[in-house]
């Protein structure tokens, strides 16, 4: 039952992706509302959430739907809990840079630990629509093609993705880093090439493909960083770890961070294991 429901959730997200992509054209304006994390919302944020919510809540085997755009969890029956960031990196929409969708499927009521994830995936709206999916010990990448008939084709693009030798780094929040994180960044910047695009999906995706480390760390003005644990931190940490890498909140795997609040934030670092170990050592000093 669980696997069948996970499959349907994946299909629902894949089917919705081309609609979200083509619908961005007329929904790039900010509206007068904020999400539960006090961030300004675009018309596209609300709209993408409604599309995904409609498709996911009617799946047999889905018990809860939660979104970065909604304050409360929606109860929709018995079964898995689905946490969605409908449009990650949405401040990239007005400038036409990368955005995506992040989905975490938990086998426990929300809020709960990242150790309860049974599947996680993210959609990248880039030159192509791709989906990276982690489950049962494997990370695979798919390409989704929307058809004129409103149907889709899904192609398996890469099987068993593993983080290669490190090449890149990308760190958010640079005007407020702590002293220890600045020291770490100084060393890393001498060894690796910087790439930062301002959307977790895009920035993490290039680390998955080229190797390295991505972080939005604890900052002087935001101790817990920027990312929401249940919607962003956990699913990306789960994917990083399943691809042979590691994640940390600075001390331990993000998947071991206790979830107390639906919209709580977490300092996020993920990438090749040796770099995550070095970072944890540097932050201890
Ligand atoms: P956004 O605010 O545009 O939705 O957590 C959301 C997020 O984007 C991430 O996707 C992105 O990595 C980060 O915030 C960007 O933050 P900065 O603007 O501080 O770089």
């Amino acid at each position: 039952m669980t696997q069948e429901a996970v499959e349907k959730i994946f299909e629902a997200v894949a089917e919705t992706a081309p609609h979200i992509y083509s619908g961005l054209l007329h929904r790039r304006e900010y509206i007068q509302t904020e999400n539960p994390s006090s961030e300004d919302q675009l018309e596209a944020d609300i709209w993408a959430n409604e599309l995904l919510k409609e498709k996911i809540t009617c799946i047999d085997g889905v018990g809860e739907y939660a979104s970065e755009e909604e304050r409360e969890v929606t109860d929709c029956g018995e079964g898995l809990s689905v946490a969605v960031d409908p449009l990650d990196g949405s401040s990239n929409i007005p400038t036409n840079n990368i955005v995506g969708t992040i989905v975490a499927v938990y086998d426990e009521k929300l809020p709960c630990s990242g150790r309860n994830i049974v599947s996680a995936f993210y959609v990248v709206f880039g030159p192509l629509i791709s989906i990276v999916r982690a489950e049962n010990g494997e990370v695979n990448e798919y390409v989704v093609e929307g058809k004129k008939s409103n149907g889709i084709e899904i192609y398996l693009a890469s099987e068993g993705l593993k983080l290669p030798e490190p090449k890149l780094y990308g760190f958010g929040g640079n005007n407020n880093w702590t002293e220890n994180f600045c020291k770490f960044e100084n060393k890393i910047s001498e060894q690796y090439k910087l790439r930062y695009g301002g959307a977790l999906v895009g920035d993490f995706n290039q680390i998955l493909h080229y190797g390295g480390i991505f972080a939005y760390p604890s900052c002087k003005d935001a101790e817990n960083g920027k990312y929401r644990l249940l919607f962003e931190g956990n699913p990306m940490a789960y994917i990083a770890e399943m691809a042979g890498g590691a994640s940390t909140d600075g001390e331990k795997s993000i998947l071991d961070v206790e979830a107390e609040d639906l919209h709580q934030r977490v300092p996020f670092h993920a990438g090749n294991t040796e770099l995550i170990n070095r970072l944890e050592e540097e932050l201890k000093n």
Side-chain angles (χ1 to χ4, degrees):
M1 178 58 176
T2 300
Q3 193 52 44
E4 208 180 307
V6 167
E7 215 49 54
K8 286 191 181 147
I9 297 162
F10 176 76
E11 277 164 25
V13 173
E15 278 165 18
T16 313
H19 297 290
I20 294 181
Y21 203 21
S22 58
L24 293 178
L25 178 62
H26 301 292
R27 295 178 177 86
R28 298 168 70 211
E29 301 291 324
Y30 280 99
I31 47 178
Q32 301 300 315
T33 54
E34 286 185 343
N35 72 12
S37 307
S38 306
E39 294 168 339
D40 293 336
Q41 290 175 309
L42 288 163
E43 195 184 338
D45 288 311
I46 311 278
W47 176 72
N49 180 48
E50 277 165 10
L51 285 183
L52 290 162
K53 186 176 183 179
E54 192 186 320
K55 284 253 183 192
I56 292 171
T57 49
C58 64
I59 294 172
D60 219 17
V62 171
E64 288 187 337
Y65 176 88
S67 164
E68 215 180 83
E69 304 303 330
E70 295 187 28
R71 194 160 298 282
E72 309 289 346
V73 174
T74 300
D75 188 337
C76 44
E78 281 297 309
L80 301 168
S81 302
V82 186
V84 178
D85 181 359
L87 268 181
D88 172 69
S90 56
S91 62
N92 273 354
I93 290 178
T95 55
N96 193 30
N97 287 85
I98 295 254
V99 291
T101 297
I102 307 174
V103 180
V105 184
Y106 298 85
D107 65 0
E108 186 53 78
K109 285 194 177 300
L110 298 172
C112 66
S113 154
R115 295 287 171 203
N116 289 104
I117 290 186
V118 293
S119 178
F121 34 95
Y122 64 82
V123 183
V124 180
F125 297 113
L128 301 172
I129 301 176
S130 61
I131 308 185
V132 168
R133 173 179 185 179
E135 212 174 289
N136 300 325
E138 214 177 54
V139 182
N140 295 326
E141 183 178 42
Y142 302 85
V143 170
V144 180
E145 191 189 354
K147 296 283 177 192
K148 280 198 183 120
S149 59
N150 267 345
I152 55 159
E153 287 285 349
I154 304 178
Y155 305 94
L156 178 62
S158 314
E159 213 171 350
L161 280 172
K162 292 284 173 203
L163 280 152
E165 285 300 303
K167 239 185 181 167
L168 305 178
Y169 77 100
F171 300 150
N174 67 315
N175 41 354
N176 276 303
W177 287 337
T178 61
E179 211 176 301
N180 281 351
F181 193 83
C182 284
K183 281 191 208 152
F184 177 70
E185 194 270 345
N186 264 327
K187 293 176 191 163
I188 287 291
S189 64
E190 284 170 8
Q191 264 184 288
Y192 304 108
K193 192 161 78 169
L194 167 67
R195 282 200 186 172
Y196 183 75
L200 170 57
V201 281
D203 288 321
F204 175 81
N205 192 50
Q206 62 191 0
I207 297 299
L208 181 66
H209 286 87
Y210 290 131
I213 178 167
F214 176 71
Y216 207 115
S218 171
C219 290
K220 281 187 269 181
D221 64 339
E223 204 190 339
N224 291 320
K226 183 169 186 192
Y227 296 156
R228 272 48 52 112
L229 176 66
L230 293 156
F231 302 99
E232 299 169 300
N234 277 339
M236 297 316 237
Y238 181 84
I239 295 168
E241 294 191 16
M242 212 161 267
S247 75
T248 183
D249 68 344
E251 291 176 356
K252 58 186 174 303
S253 165
I254 287 176
L255 301 177
D256 289 323
V257 174
E258 204 176 323
E260 288 164 348
D261 180 77
L262 189 63
H263 294 280
Q264 86 189 54
R265 298 179 192 260
V266 67
F268 180 87
H269 323 79
N272 289 73
T273 306
E274 67 265 32
L275 296 179
I276 295 297
N277 291 342
R278 264 177 69 184
L279 168 83
E280 283 184 342
E281 279 307 308
E282 195 75 52
L283 295 184
K284 267 188 207 158
N285 296 324

